[in-house]
């Protein structure tokens, strides 16, 4: 038997409980809100803690990308030192060496640039760029997860609210029947047990209605906590004019599968993961190749007691230096080879991860496709059962009203009608939910 809508949602929340932490918006404190599904999804996307955390990670990746690009540029640094020294053997004029002070200083500017390092810099830039793209896809993937959670919680509340409507109508009908039966009992046309049976049914209907109202409060709280709205906020959802179960034909599984494999962010992220790992191999191989760097510097200095003025010393001691440095790795004690082999292993692991992601996604889409088919069949059967049970219940009510049906037969027919009604409402929302999930994997935005 297909799972009830609430069971599906509860199971989903248990699997994704770690995703339920979101940021609270202090500007909403004390307000009374009534949101539709689109507003709930939009708020969650903007305030979800996991999504915002991933956005910060994306910003970090962007900074690392800029840093990698800057590695192509030369650096520039300035140095300066000033020394004051005192000693007993410092020369102090014509009277020989006496206690005195010595002052000296040196100043310089230097710059270095990497001319060649086995394309390490270029590969690192390309890899960091891919990591930025991967971070963006991670954000989209997390947004997809929260959209499904919000949609399921929202539909649960709609189911509860529609159940209240049906249960309120049942209670009203029962109350009218009890009133009529009381009048008959007062004139002695019915037995006391018949009146008591209807009064017991009224109490049962009242209890059922209370449970439905409690379910709305509980499931609204679940949605509110999923959004992590402030605790003192009054929150409710907007009900669409109509909620229709799917009646049109659904897309084929192969079409949905191919669309998902080509467009879902988790697959694209897995493909980027393989490319990122391959760049690690290229970067590791740069350790086999020579490195060429160029450097330049400007330096000068002075010291007192030289008989030359400060300006002349600075000019006389000024010198310039320009040079190239070549470093050739000859024996690295297997360090580079190990780095290369480990990078190759990571490539194979990322390929396995990608394969697993595709298999998992295909299985998920296939399960969603089967769920849609099962839910549609269940809804069609439930709709037929509800139609005939409703008519039978109407006839039984009329018969009870005119006194040609006994209470036991009427209550039996009513119980059958209530069961059929509950099955119909749940089947309708189950069919709607499964279709929305299936279409979502096809890239169709979720709307009501």
């Amino acid at each position: 038997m297909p799972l009830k809508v609430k069971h599906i949602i509860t199971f989903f929340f248990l699997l994704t409980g770690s995703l339920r932490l979101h940021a609270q918006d202090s500007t909403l404190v004390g307000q009374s809100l009534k949101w539709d599904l689109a507003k709930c999804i939009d708020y969650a996307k903007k305030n979800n803690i996991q999504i915002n955390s991933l956005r910060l990670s994306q910003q970090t990746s962007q900074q690392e990308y800029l840093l990698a690009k800057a590695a192509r540029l030369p650096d520039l640094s300035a140095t300066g030192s000033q020394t004051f020294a005192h000693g007993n053997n410092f020369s102090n004029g014509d009277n020989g060496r006496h206690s005195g002070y010595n002052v000296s200083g040196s100043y310089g500017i230097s710059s270095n640039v990497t001319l060649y390092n086995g394309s390490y810099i270029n590969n690192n830039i390309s890899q960091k760029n891919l990591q930025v793209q991967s971070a963006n896809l991670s954000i989209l993937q997390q947004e997809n997860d929260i959209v499904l959670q919000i949609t399921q919680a929202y539909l649960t509340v709609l189911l509860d609210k529609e159940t209240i409507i049906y249960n309120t109508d049942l209670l009203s009908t029962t109350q009218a029947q009890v009133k009529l039966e009381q009048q008959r009992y007062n004139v002695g046309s019915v037995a006391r047990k018949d009146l008591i049976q209807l009064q017991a049914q009224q109490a049962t209907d009242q209890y059922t209605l209370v449970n439905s109202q409690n379910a709305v409060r509980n499931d609204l709280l679940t949605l509110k906590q999923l959004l992590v709205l402030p605790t003192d906020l009054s929150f409710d959802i907007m009900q669409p004019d109509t909620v229709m179960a799917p009646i049109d034909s659904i897309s084929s599984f192969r079409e949905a599968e191919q669309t998902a494999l080509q467009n879902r962010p988790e697959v694209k992220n897995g493909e980027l993961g393989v490319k990122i790992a391959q760049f690690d191999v290229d970067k590791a191989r740069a350790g086999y190749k020579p490195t060429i760097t160029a450097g330049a510097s400007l330096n000068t200095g002075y010291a007192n007691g030289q008989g030359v003025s400060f300006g002349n010393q600075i000019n006389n001691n000024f010198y310039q230096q320009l040079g190239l440095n070549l470093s050739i790795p000859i024996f690295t004690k297997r360090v580079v080879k190990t780095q290369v082999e480990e990078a190759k292993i990571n490539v194979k692991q990322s390929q396995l991860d990608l394969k697993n992601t595709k298999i998992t996604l295909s299985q998920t889409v296939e399960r969603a496709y089967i769920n849609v088919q099962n839910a549609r069949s269940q809804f069609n059967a439930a709709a037929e059962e509800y139609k005939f049970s409703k008519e039978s219940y109407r006839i039984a009510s009329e018969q009870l009203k005119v006194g040609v049906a006994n209470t036991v037969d009427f209550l039996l027919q009513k119980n059958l009608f209530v069961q059929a009604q509950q099955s119909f409402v749940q089947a309708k929302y189950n069919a709607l939910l499964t279709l929305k999930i299936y279409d979502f994997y096809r890239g169709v935005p979720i709307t009501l």
Side-chain angles (χ1 to χ4, degrees):
M1 176 182 294
L3 290 174
K4 302 295 186 182
V5 175
K6 288 187 179 179
H7 295 168
I8 296 176
I9 295 168
T10 301
F11 179 68
F12 187 90
F13 284 163
L14 288 175
L15 290 178
T16 58
S18 61
L19 302 178
R20 301 176 113 194
L21 296 176
H22 303 268
Q24 292 190 1
D25 190 345
S26 59
T27 62
L28 299 177
V29 174
Q31 295 188 25
S32 178
L33 303 179
K34 196 170 186 178
W35 288 352
D36 59 10
L37 177 60
K39 178 63 177 178
C40 291
I41 291 176
D42 181 66
Y43 180 86
K45 285 183 177 181
K46 291 179 180 178
N47 294 276
N48 178 271
I49 286 181
Q50 278 70 35
I51 293 176
N52 286 329
S53 178
L54 289 173
R55 290 191 178 111
L56 294 178
S57 297
Q58 189 273 346
Q59 294 177 19
T60 299
S61 298
Q62 182 67 31
Q63 293 301 314
E64 292 176 351
Y65 170 62
L66 296 176
L67 178 62
K69 290 177 64 176
R72 288 173 171 167
L73 305 175
D75 62 7
L76 180 64
S77 61
T79 60
S81 65
Q82 191 73 32
T83 303
F84 299 88
H86 176 270
N88 292 327
N89 60 344
F90 288 152
S91 175
N92 188 14
D94 298 334
N95 296 326
R97 306 179 68 83
H98 301 282
S99 174
Y101 294 92
N102 184 41
V103 180
S104 64
S106 63
Y107 316 98
I109 296 177
S110 63
S111 178
N112 291 277
V113 63
T114 300
L115 301 178
Y116 178 76
N117 65 343
S119 297
Y120 180 92
I121 293 178
N122 291 336
N123 288 326
N124 191 44
I125 292 173
S126 298
Q127 185 187 52
K128 298 303 181 184
N129 184 36
L130 292 181
Q131 288 176 345
V132 173
Q133 298 176 39
S134 176
N136 290 328
L137 290 172
S138 296
I139 295 173
L140 292 178
Q141 186 175 345
Q142 185 65 40
E143 288 180 347
N144 287 343
D145 292 340
I146 194 63
V147 165
L148 288 179
Q149 293 183 63
I150 295 295
T151 300
Q152 294 184 7
Y154 193 95
L155 287 178
T156 300
V157 178
L158 286 182
L159 168 62
D160 294 336
K161 287 179 174 289
E162 186 162 336
T163 300
I164 285 180
I165 295 174
Y166 284 110
N167 290 337
T168 301
D169 183 62
L170 281 174
L171 178 59
S172 298
T173 302
T174 304
Q175 289 171 339
Q177 291 167 342
V178 169
K179 183 178 180 180
L180 179 60
E181 199 75 357
Q182 181 69 54
Q183 294 173 351
R184 290 175 177 172
Y185 173 74
N186 291 339
V187 298
S189 61
V190 296
R192 178 174 172 76
K193 70 177 182 64
D194 293 330
L195 175 61
I196 293 177
Q197 286 175 336
L198 283 180
Q199 289 174 334
Q201 183 61 49
Q202 178 180 326
T204 299
D205 291 346
Q206 179 68 48
Y207 178 78
T208 302
L209 177 59
V210 170
N211 282 342
S212 301
Q213 294 168 341
N214 291 341
V216 168
R217 284 190 286 267
N218 288 332
D219 291 329
L220 269 176
L221 179 62
T222 297
L223 178 57
K224 181 180 176 181
Q225 291 178 344
L226 186 61
L227 293 167
V228 185
L229 293 169
T231 55
D232 61 347
L233 178 73
S234 176
F235 176 72
D236 200 355
I237 67 170
M238 296 177 61
Q239 295 180 257
D241 295 335
T242 57
V243 178
M244 300 297 295
I247 56 176
D248 299 330
S249 60
I250 62 176
S251 301
S252 68
F253 162 66
R254 292 302 177 190
E255 177 186 345
E257 180 188 36
Q258 290 303 313
T259 301
L261 291 175
Q262 293 172 5
N263 297 284
R264 292 285 294 187
E266 55 263 44
V267 175
K268 292 182 178 181
N269 213 350
E271 293 171 347
L272 286 181
V274 175
K275 295 179 181 179
I276 290 172
Q278 289 172 339
F279 274 116
D280 277 331
V281 177
D282 296 334
K283 288 165 61 176
R285 285 174 174 164
Y288 289 126
K289 301 175 182 179
T291 300
I292 301 176
T293 59
S297 63
L298 303 175
N299 294 278
T300 187
Y302 85 99
N304 69 330
Q306 303 295 320
V308 182
S309 66
F310 173 81
N312 288 333
Q313 284 193 60
I314 292 294
N315 182 62
N316 293 338
N317 295 331
F318 179 66
Y319 68 95
Q320 309 85 43
Q321 182 178 359
L322 179 66
L324 293 175
N325 181 63
L326 173 64
S327 175
I328 302 175
I330 298 176
F331 180 65
T332 62
K333 297 184 291 186
R334 212 181 186 278
V335 172
V336 175
K337 181 176 178 59
T338 299
Q339 292 173 343
V340 171
E341 294 304 317
E342 288 178 346
K344 289 180 179 179
I345 293 172
N346 289 335
V347 170
K348 293 179 180 179
Q349 182 61 57
S350 62
Q351 290 172 339
L352 284 177
D353 293 340
L354 174 59
K355 183 178 180 180
N356 181 65
T357 298
K358 289 182 175 180
I359 291 174
T360 301
L361 180 59
S362 294
Q363 292 173 344
T364 302
V365 175
E366 184 176 16
R367 175 55 58 190
Y369 177 73
I370 296 301
N371 287 342
V372 171
Q373 291 183 315
N374 293 343
R376 285 165 61 90
S377 300
Q378 183 186 35
F379 171 74
N380 292 334
E384 285 294 306
E385 180 187 22
Y386 175 65
K387 181 177 67 173
F388 292 115
S389 295
K390 183 178 181 180
E391 180 63 17
S392 297
Y393 172 63
R394 186 192 65 80
I395 294 173
S397 298
E398 293 297 325
Q399 290 176 338
L400 181 67
K401 186 183 299 183
V402 297
V404 298
N406 62 63
T407 306
V408 174
D409 292 338
F410 166 75
L411 293 178
L412 175 62
Q413 188 58 53
K414 180 175 182 177
N415 289 334
L416 292 175
F417 168 67
V418 170
Q419 293 174 7
Q421 181 177 269
Q422 292 174 344
S423 297
F424 170 73
V425 176
Q426 290 189 343
K428 180 173 73 170
Y429 280 92
N430 189 31
L432 179 62
L433 175 61
T434 55
L435 180 64
K436 292 299 180 180
I437 292 176
Y438 182 64
D439 284 344
F440 190 66
Y441 284 109
R442 295 175 49 239
V444 179
I446 293 180
T447 57
L448 290 179

